[in-house]
Amino acid sequence: MTARIGVIPDIHMRSAHRSDIRDLLESTVSHLRRFDPDLVVALGDVIEEEDERTDVEHIELVAETLAFDCPVRFLAGNHDSETLTHDRLEEVFGNELWGTQRIGDEKLVFLNTSSPWLDGARGEVTDDQLAMLREESAAGEPFTIFVHHPIHYYDVSNSYWWSTYPERAFCGNKKRVTDALDPKLVKGTINGHTHENVLTNYREVEHVTLNAFSKETREKPITGTYAEVVIDDTVDVTVKVDDELVRRYEF
């Protein structure tokens, strides 16, 4: 059975653009409803941190706006955990920050790379999650990974945000993460964080990076990027803004 996943990366809900972001989210919800997803994933950095009360309000606003007949799953990004603990995020999101989920015949793995114990925007995967990845690899069933920080490397020397601070662009222990994986079982990974659309083959796995829904750059505070992902024997990622095709990756 095919799994149909709607993905909205890096929403960055914030006071300065609250109304515009909500309007664009409502439009995106309309487009994704026509895609008829089995699951929608908010790929982390749901908010741009301000203070605890405002951050909770903004998460609740996003959750209220993402009104679908299917479940919505929230991942945590570096901004989400600046004022809110992981326990509080799970409470407000309404789901665990990492784990597995089955959609039809497809197994999905969700990782939490938000790491408030690190400075800057850096991320890492905890030992408990690494143990889960080893167990999933040992089980021998293919799966697709969704995560905020890239668990791979690609050249960010020309990146708007990361050229000066490349260590903040990636999951800091990505080698340990990929060492825990059997590349023959990973159908692909889908991540946000670096605010651009890129397909990278890293250590025999295809990794799709999605541009930010908002805050692509300081000069472009709202973009509206989202993706329609279809998983069966292959992974098909259609990247859109409004209802217009931006990129398509299939592997």
Side-chain angles (χ1 to χ4, degrees):
M1 176 180 173
T2 298
R4 301 171 67 83
I5 317 296
V7 182
I8 307 178
D10 297 76
I11 295 168
H12 290 288
M13 177 61 77
R14 56 202 187 276
S15 295
H17 297 278
R18 174 177 171 141
S19 179
D20 289 339
I21 294 172
R22 180 171 187 176
D23 288 347
L24 190 53
L25 273 179
E26 289 176 342
S27 174
T28 300
V29 167
S30 296
H31 295 312
L32 277 174
R33 282 178 182 154
R34 291 195 287 273
F35 172 63
D36 192 23
D38 302 304
L39 176 73
V40 171
V41 179
L43 210 55
D45 279 359
V46 178
I47 56 169
E48 183 83 6
E49 80 279 355
E50 296 179 39
D51 58 71
E52 183 176 355
R53 180 186 61 81
T54 303
D55 291 351
V56 169
E57 287 180 356
H58 282 166
I59 290 171
E60 291 175 341
L61 176 62
V62 171
E64 172 189 306
T65 307
L66 298 183
F68 292 93
D69 293 331
C70 67
V72 177
R73 182 153 190 157
F74 292 89
L75 299 188
N78 47 285
H79 287 289
D80 303 310
S81 59
E82 284 291 323
T83 71
L84 302 173
T85 66
H86 284 168
D87 286 345
R88 183 66 171 128
L89 282 172
E90 289 189 338
E91 180 183 352
V92 182
F93 284 165
N95 59 250
E96 295 179 341
L97 299 185
W98 60 275
T100 64
Q101 184 171 349
R102 187 174 295 279
I103 299 294
D105 297 329
E106 297 298 329
K107 179 176 282 188
L108 311 180
V109 172
F110 302 96
L111 298 179
N112 173 28
T113 54
S114 68
S115 307
W117 51 87
L118 300 175
D119 62 359
R122 294 184 297 159
E124 67 180 18
V125 171
T126 60
D127 288 344
D128 286 348
Q129 295 179 79
L130 291 171
M132 175 191 70
L133 290 175
R134 294 186 194 100
E135 290 173 3
E136 293 300 330
S137 291
E141 181 182 0
F143 55 89
T144 305
I145 297 174
F146 294 81
V147 60
H148 180 68
H149 290 81
I151 58 172
H152 64 286
Y153 173 81
Y154 71 95
D155 184 6
V156 293
S157 59
N158 293 318
S159 167
Y160 178 93
W161 293 105
W162 313 109
S163 59
T164 308
Y165 304 102
E167 71 279 3
R168 300 184 179 186
F170 307 104
C171 177
N173 60 345
K174 59 185 179 293
K175 185 179 187 303
R176 294 187 67 199
V177 177
T178 52
D179 282 346
L181 299 172
D182 181 346
K184 296 188 297 294
L185 295 177
V186 182
K187 290 191 171 185
T189 81
I190 298 173
N191 67 268
H193 184 61
T194 55
H195 296 210
E196 57 184 335
N197 296 307
V198 185
L199 174 64
T200 307
N201 184 285
Y202 177 79
R203 302 190 74 179
E204 302 179 70
V205 174
E206 301 292 345
H207 302 262
V208 175
T209 299
L210 296 176
N211 190 18
F213 185 86
S214 82
K215 201 183 170 187
E216 178 180 343
T217 66
R218 292 185 181 89
E219 295 76 26
K220 192 173 183 180
I222 301 175
T223 301
T225 303
Y226 66 98
E228 299 170 348
V229 180
V230 179
I231 306 171
D232 46 31
D233 293 335
T234 62
V235 179
D236 187 319
V237 182
T238 302
V239 186
K240 292 184 172 182
V241 171
D242 291 324
D243 205 24
E244 299 297 319
L245 177 67
V246 176
R247 297 278 193 282
R248 186 177 180 189
Y249 309 113
E250 186 174 6
F251 43 87

